[in-house]
Amino acid sequence: MSSAKLSLSLLDRITRVIGDSHDFRGTVDNIVSLVKEEMQTDVCSLYLYDEEKNLLILVATKGLDASAIGKVEMKPSEGLTGLVYESMTPLVVQDAHEHPRYRYFPVTREEKLKTFLGVPLISRRSAIGVLVIQDRQNRTYSTQELHLFNTIAGQVAGVVVNARLLRELTARSPDTPLLPEPERSALVLRGTPATPGIAMGPAAIMEVYEDFHYIIEEHTDDPEGQKRKFREAAEAGRKEIEELRERVQEQLGEDDAGIFNIHLMMLEDQGFNQKVFELIDSGTTALYAVKSVLAGYLKSFQDIDDQYLKDRAVDIEDVGRRVIRLLSDQSRDGSLHFQEEGILITRLITPSDAAVLSTEMVRGVATSAGGHTSHAIILSRSLGIPCVVGIEELLDIVQPGDYIIVDGNTGNVFINPEKVIVKEYQRLLQDYTRHVVELVSEKDLPAVTLDGFRVELMANVGLLSDLKFIDYYGADGIGLYRTELPFMARSILPTEDEQYRIYRNMVEGARGKMVNIRTLDVGGDKKIPYLSFPTEENPFLGWRSIRMCLEKADIFKTQIRAIMRAARHGPVSILIPMVSTLEEVMGVRRLMEESRVELKSSKVPYSSSVQVGLMIEVPSAALLAGKLASEVDFFSIGTNDLTQYALAVDRNNNRVAHMYDSMNPAILSLIAMTARAAREGGIPIAVCGEIAADPLWTPLLIGMEISVLSMNASSIPLIKRSIRLIRHADCQRAARRALKAGTSAEVRRIMSRFDKMIQAEVVFQPTELH
Ligand code: PEP
Ligand code: MG
């Protein structure tokens, strides 16, 4: 692995260990094991300085005899570790036992170790310990590896300081004041990554009242007056929402703006209005009545298990907050006005907040609540603002002005991080931006291997706003348009005309490039409230996607008709998800024909030159690929689901995430089998799962004769550069060997010679340590 990739994965894993741990010993044990494993060394040990004893003590090791923990002690003036501690600078020594400062401890049984690398743990300009790695071989370390090791030492120093702080705090009597503000030390919190990217800056905290507790019960003897007040507030709210909708429509398009239709509907909802009026009639004020009705709605949403529905509570709260603000005669909500560029820290962002987020002032967002399917997050994604959600303790910990790093790629949020971490991230950000600019400058070069194998690089999209990336990153077309987002952003099924308008915008926006429109792929983790999904024991194996569409033929045919109509405006194909049997393909064909006849008989203009492709994402479809190939025009392998179903590993379950490995030879066989069937059937084949965006997969996929890759548009330049570095013939040879492997590790070993080249030339490398 290159040091850039290594640094990110190791840093991420370490922050995870730190974030998840509650116990100092367990944490440091895990860290030394991780470092040893990832840096492929023979020993990793941690020494801490004990002030009272004036000794450096071994507190954790992986590789030395475990019985040495707590027993190996040395003065700062002794040994190589002492030298690192005293000099407060990193030290690399080969043939360590020949060094004049070398000191031998029999209990460690370390005779055979030749290379020593030690880095001091520094906190507030003094050393508090030393992190050491040792090797049996004489080994050299690159500047980047040294830099990474330094950064890790910075993280470990944070853990040590936190643990000491905690010990100090618990040892105090309850009325001893807490440490003053400047003593607050570095912390890493873990949330759910919602929008990728890195952002850093001072925290700006936006209070969002969860329960409107400040509204107290008041009585009125003028119910009619209160009802009038409520109607006026609702009307003013409606105007504000319409303004917002227009603003979002201009900025991001009609599709995203559709979110606000739900808000308008809620304001006009008879049930909601009725309940408010009833309470007013019973003698309460309009303000209290709205608060009570809202609280009831929110409570029933909280009790729902389904994350998608839970996220909809945000929309209700958004509307309620608006009406309450207007009823309490407050002027426009000023809570989102930033004094300087920074990181927004809040309980949740509502769609209204997201719509007014100024990209110039808000560099990143971290929230304590909110799932990643919430509309606001979908909007923040369109705006490209890095965002991490779901850090429960966030608002208890962060203080205004704390320095924050939001890492939307990993879900880590650093609070007042050590300087080394800030530096590391600044460098990552700068280098990454430079790297992207450089890669993007190559966007017009062809994606062709050194020996002439041509690959088409397509984009995966979900919203109309994604269209702007198509040309920017040089996509050859849209390989996968996930149509469920427009369905999720509404409270009733979009009509045929509405869908037609959305698809037509997408097709016209692609300006002559092919658009593969995937039919509705809902169910599983993507529920749509108005489609009344049943409660199922195993929703991923249940009534979802094409299975639902074949039963609800009206919904399916409405979508097919809208797609056929949009196909008059540019090249379009239909992509069918989650197919598991040949019978389903026959069913799809039949409904498509019916849709065509309906369009024809109602004299609505449409195009019948729409090709049909199948997503191969269920193992049975891969096994049946030979039969399926003669029924359709192309295949697109959805490796995200194929991996989940073939390995029986839930793709959203963290507990089994380590088993979710697409490099398992079983998955390779399914891909190769599908590619062979496509070749023999004379139809094109694509891969549109996440692996298409991973340059380490590129040689394998090319070696298996996959000539179309579809991915998030921003990865296209990276994959293009990888393709231009390799030879098809070498890829074929390596893929043949990989297909005979028994484990993912073996596959990785076989492919490792490509890795080195791709890592060096393609994956971005942080600049050298200054
Ligand atoms: C897949 O399963 O690989 C795929 C591309 O579809 P989705 O991620 O939308 O399920
Ligand atoms: Mg899928």
Side-chain angles (χ1 to χ4, degrees):
M1 215 191 280
S2 88
S3 34
K5 185 103 177 191
L6 169 70
S7 73
L8 284 178
S9 87
L10 181 52
L11 272 179
D12 182 38
R13 289 177 70 190
I14 287 181
T15 30
R16 243 180 250 221
V17 164
I18 295 172
D20 292 349
S21 66
H22 304 287
D23 129 43
F24 175 72
R25 175 138 309 284
T27 311
V28 290
D29 282 344
N30 283 335
I31 290 175
V32 293
S33 300
L34 258 178
V35 173
K36 175 179 177 292
E37 180 194 317
E38 292 250 2
M39 296 206 47
Q40 293 170 8
T41 66
D42 296 309
V43 174
C44 177
S45 312
L46 174 65
Y47 295 82
L48 290 187
Y49 178 64
D50 185 323
E51 226 170 344
E52 273 170 32
K53 296 185 184 156
N54 184 29
L55 287 173
L56 279 160
I57 302 173
L58 178 70
V59 296
T61 183
K62 190 77 189 173
L64 293 182
D65 205 290
S67 61
I69 294 175
K71 297 212 185 88
V72 172
E73 302 177 334
M74 66 193 83
K75 294 210 184 83
S77 55
E78 292 176 331
L80 291 170
T81 307
L83 184 55
V84 173
Y85 178 83
E86 272 187 333
S87 64
M88 284 176 55
T89 39
L91 176 70
V92 187
V93 181
Q94 297 197 339
D95 295 316
H97 45 278
E98 287 169 13
H99 193 283
R101 277 288 293 258
Y102 179 76
R103 210 190 130 191
Y104 174 62
F105 295 90
V107 65
T108 62
R109 306 187 187 164
E110 68 169 34
E111 291 95 314
K112 293 191 212 100
L113 298 166
K114 282 197 168 159
T115 312
F116 170 100
L117 163 59
V119 173
L121 266 51
I122 308 231
S123 171
R124 287 193 213 106
R125 296 201 194 89
S126 46
I128 57 171
V130 180
L131 189 62
V132 174
I133 52 181
Q134 290 168 283
D135 263 275
R136 285 203 189 89
Q137 312 297 331
N138 269 332
R139 170 174 174 182
T140 53
Y141 290 96
S142 67
T143 320
Q144 281 148 12
E145 280 172 315
L146 293 178
H147 173 58
L148 168 65
F149 199 50
N150 227 353
T151 307
I152 293 166
Q155 298 225 36
V156 176
V159 173
V160 173
V161 171
N162 278 341
R164 286 189 177 156
L165 195 65
L166 196 67
R167 212 170 42 214
E168 223 179 289
L169 288 176
T170 45
R172 282 161 192 258
S173 65
D175 51 4
T176 317
L178 286 177
L179 289 172
E181 212 45 39
E183 298 283 319
R184 286 165 42 75
S185 60
L187 267 178
V188 187
L189 304 175
R190 257 197 93 68
T192 309
T195 307
I198 295 167
M200 46 188 102
I205 299 177
M206 181 175 76
E207 294 283 352
V208 178
Y209 296 111
E210 191 158 7
D211 53 3
F212 305 103
H213 60 273
Y214 58 95
I215 300 171
I216 48 166
E217 184 163 7
E218 279 177 300
H219 288 275
T220 176
D221 44 19
D222 178 19
E224 288 315 311
Q226 288 297 314
K227 281 186 197 166
R228 198 173 47 249
K229 243 185 122 181
F230 171 69
R231 274 194 220 97
E232 283 165 8
E235 177 55 23
R238 198 179 57 73
K239 285 205 180 111
E240 282 186 10
I241 295 171
E242 273 171 358
E243 266 174 40
L244 272 178
R245 186 175 60 177
E246 263 168 45
R247 188 161 355 150
V248 174
Q249 188 160 339
E250 268 168 34
Q251 213 178 342
L252 301 171
E254 187 186 345
D255 198 7
D256 300 63
I259 288 169
F260 292 101
N261 292 340
I262 301 181
H263 290 208
L264 288 175
M265 274 173 195
M266 277 179 201
L267 266 186
E268 283 152 19
D269 181 63
Q270 286 300 317
F272 181 78
N273 286 301
Q274 187 77 29
K275 285 199 179 89
V276 171
F277 287 147
E278 276 167 17
L279 278 175
I280 294 176
D281 280 335
S282 74
T284 66
T285 57
L287 190 59
Y288 188 75
V290 172
K291 170 206 158 150
S292 308
V293 175
L294 200 61
Y297 275 42
L298 292 177
K299 168 89 184 62
S300 41
F301 269 83
Q302 259 157 27
D303 297 341
I304 300 175
D305 254 355
D306 185 310
Q307 187 58 43
Y308 177 79
L309 286 180
K310 261 202 175 110
D311 289 343
R312 298 290 76 75
V314 180
D315 293 298
I316 294 185
E317 190 174 331
D318 195 356
V319 176
R321 263 195 7 219
R322 183 180 304 283
V323 177
I324 283 175
R325 174 172 53 77
L326 290 162
L327 273 173
S328 12
D329 300 324
Q330 290 169 19
S331 56
R332 282 191 84 88
D333 192 350
S335 45
L336 256 174
H337 293 327
F338 272 54
Q339 304 300 324
E340 56 176 327
E341 286 182 39
I343 306 293
L344 172 64
I345 302 288
T346 184
R347 187 169 65 79
L348 54 81
I349 45 172
T350 64
S352 309
D353 296 332
V356 293
L357 286 184
S358 143
T359 34
E360 273 139 51
M361 289 305 228
V362 181
R363 290 194 203 154
V365 178
T367 71
S368 58
H372 60 284
T373 65
S374 78
H375 291 145
I377 300 304
I378 295 173
L379 283 179
S380 88
R381 222 167 271 156
S382 299
L383 291 165
I385 299 174
C387 178
V388 172
V389 299
I391 304 175
E392 275 177 30
E393 64 277 38
L394 186 72
L395 286 160
D396 300 332
I397 293 175
V398 179
Q399 306 284 322
D402 275 352
Y403 192 81
I404 308 286
I405 299 177
V406 171
D407 184 340
N409 304 318
T410 61
N412 289 328
V413 172
F414 294 79
I415 296 150
N416 297 325
E418 299 282 327
K419 274 207 185 91
V420 276
I421 305 267
V422 177
K423 270 186 146 180
E424 169 74 0
Y425 269 96
Q426 279 167 342
R427 206 176 348 263
L428 281 179
L429 196 56
Q430 275 172 12
D431 288 2
Y432 187 66
T433 311
R434 202 174 314 126
H435 181 74
V436 169
V437 168
E438 195 191 309
L439 283 177
V440 169
S441 70
E442 299 169 6
K443 73 178 170 114
D444 294 324
L445 297 176
V448 58
T449 62
L450 293 171
D451 51 353
F453 183 82
R454 174 93 198 210
V455 184
E456 241 180 288
L457 299 179
M458 316 271 279
N460 292 353
V461 301
L463 291 170
L464 288 172
S465 46
D466 294 330
L467 272 171
K468 59 181 176 284
F469 301 121
I470 302 299
D471 284 340
Y472 183 76
Y473 291 113
D476 293 317
I478 294 174
L480 169 65
Y481 170 23
R482 293 177 163 106
T483 54
E484 40 285 354
L485 286 176
F487 283 77
M488 285 159 92
R490 282 169 173 74
S491 58
I492 49 168
L493 269 173
T495 61
E496 181 183 317
D497 282 348
E498 273 178 299
Q499 290 187 53
Y500 162 65
R501 270 200 302 279
I502 296 171
Y503 305 152
R504 176 182 170 167
N505 283 340
M506 189 62 94
V507 172
E508 286 180 341
R511 293 193 286 163
K513 293 177 177 170
M514 174 58 82
V515 182
N516 291 337
I517 305 183
R518 180 173 76 180
T519 58
L520 201 51
D521 185 21
V522 290
D525 60 342
K526 288 181 275 185
K527 300 257 168 57
I528 293 187
Y530 53 83
L531 285 183
S532 54
F533 279 89
T535 307
E536 296 174 301
E537 290 272 332
N538 287 308
F540 277 100
L541 301 182
W543 195 65
R544 57 170 302 199
S545 197
I546 194 63
R547 299 173 184 179
M548 185 223 48
C549 284
L550 286 171
E551 262 183 52
K552 296 230 173 201
D554 279 354
I555 295 179
F556 187 62
K557 287 201 293 181
T558 304
Q559 185 172 32
I560 296 292
R561 286 195 305 266
I563 298 174
M564 285 179 165
R565 288 169 61 189
R568 286 178 59 243
H569 306 279
V572 166
S573 298
I574 293 179
L575 191 52
I576 310 291
M578 276 292 296
V579 168
S580 53
T581 66
L582 186 59
E583 291 86 331
E584 283 169 337
V585 180
M586 302 302 185
V588 165
R589 284 289 191 197
R590 187 172 41 76
L591 293 181
M592 284 185 65
E593 181 52 19
E594 285 177 24
S595 312
R596 197 190 60 75
V597 170
E598 284 160 13
L599 284 171
K600 192 163 186 209
S601 62
S602 54
K603 301 204 167 40
V604 179
Y606 69 97
S607 165
S608 53
S609 62
V610 177
Q611 298 215 319
V612 181
L614 294 187
M615 296 272 296
I616 304 292
E617 46 186 353
V618 179
S620 61
L623 295 163
L624 285 170
K627 296 274 185 300
L628 300 173
S630 48
E631 300 299 327
V632 292
D633 302 304
F634 66 99
F635 285 157
S636 187
I637 310 183
T639 46
N640 305 340
D641 276 317
L642 188 63
T643 305
Q644 142 164 287
Y645 290 122
L647 298 179
V649 176
D650 181 345
R651 67 194 251 191
N652 298 323
N653 182 343
N654 279 342
R655 291 292 289 273
V656 286
H658 61 285
M659 296 175 70
Y660 183 94
D661 186 353
S662 304
M663 275 224 182
N664 188 299
I667 311 297
L668 299 195
S669 295
L670 291 168
I671 298 174
M673 185 181 283
T674 312
R676 196 178 324 117
R679 212 168 38 251
E680 287 167 3
I683 59 170
I685 178 156
V687 164
C688 64
E690 290 305 305
I691 62 168
D694 182 347
L696 300 183
W697 265 93
T698 310
L700 247 180
L701 294 174
I702 287 181
M704 291 191 284
E705 313 301 332
I706 308 283
S707 57
V708 184
L709 299 174
S710 191
M711 65 204 79
N712 61 57
S714 61
S715 300
I716 288 178
L718 189 85
I719 299 300
K720 182 175 287 179
R721 192 185 271 187
S722 313
I723 292 169
R724 292 174 58 82
L725 284 171
I726 52 184
R727 295 174 58 80
H728 179 220
D730 296 340
C731 298
Q732 285 175 310
R733 260 193 303 279
R736 268 198 298 275
R737 285 181 57 211
L739 277 161
K740 291 190 188 127
T743 63
S744 334
E746 220 178 305
V747 175
R748 289 198 166 83
R749 247 192 325 276
I750 293 166
M751 302 311 291
S752 63
R753 68 197 185 91
F754 292 99
D755 288 6
K756 284 197 195 82
M757 177 175 46
I758 287 175
Q759 296 282 8
E761 302 279 337
V762 181
V763 177
F764 98 96
Q765 309 278 339
T767 51
E768 308 280 294
L769 186 65
H770 301 300

